Amino acid sequence: MNAAMVPFMAATLFVVVASQFPQIEDQVGAVVSVVPLYVAFLVVMAGLGLLLARVFRLDVPSSRALIFSGATRNSLVVLPLELALPEAYAITPVIVVTQTLVELIGMVIYVRAVPWLVPAQARSIR
């Protein structure tokens, strides 16, 4: 069941986006335009998390946890409220779900990148 969590979440997000797409068909450009902002956030938060981990001299597990937790936002918690917004704001849930999709892909990349950024053992300098 643990291995199925990411595919289930991705499928759920896909269904939510698909259900909202007819309402925002003419605003797809606006949705796509926020993706670079979300990607930039992931990059900045990885660097900021690494910097804070070094400043506070955190151990490896704590450093990795700080980087991951700094980059993740739980925007799906407010999704029911966004789905209740008037039709004039129909794009809002899709933008939030887009952020979550970018974050999900980012976390897959983080799984590979964070151990490289914060290795279990110090890298040797040659």
Side-chain angles (χ1 to χ4, degrees), residues 27-92:
Q27 299 175 320
V28 172
V31 174
V32 172
S33 71
V34 297
V35 170
L37 178 66
Y38 297 142
V39 171
F41 179 83
L42 288 169
V43 171
V44 168
M45 290 310 293
L48 184 59
L50 182 60
L51 176 69
L52 289 171
R54 288 185 178 163
V55 166
F56 291 104
R57 294 185 171 105
L58 299 178
D59 61 4
V60 170
S62 297
S63 297
R64 290 177 179 181
L66 177 67
I67 293 169
F68 271 94
S69 63
T72 58
R73 298 162 290 191
N74 203 355
S75 59
L76 292 180
V77 171
V78 294
L79 189 57
L81 297 173
E82 292 158 350
L83 289 170
L85 290 172
E87 182 132 350
Y89 299 101
I91 196 169
T92 305

Side-chain angles (χ1 to χ4, degrees), residues 98-109:
T98 301
Q99 178 262 312
T100 305
L101 286 169
V102 170
E103 185 178 292
L104 186 63
I105 293 166
M107 291 304 104
V108 170
I109 294 168

Side-chain angles (χ1 to χ4, degrees), residues 46 50 60 63-65 67-68 109-119 123:
L50 182 60
V60 170
S63 297
R64 290 177 179 181
I67 293 169
F68 271 94
I109 294 168
Y110 265 42
V111 166
R112 296 286 185 178
V114 170
W116 182 81
L117 288 171
V118 183
R123 292 185 195 111

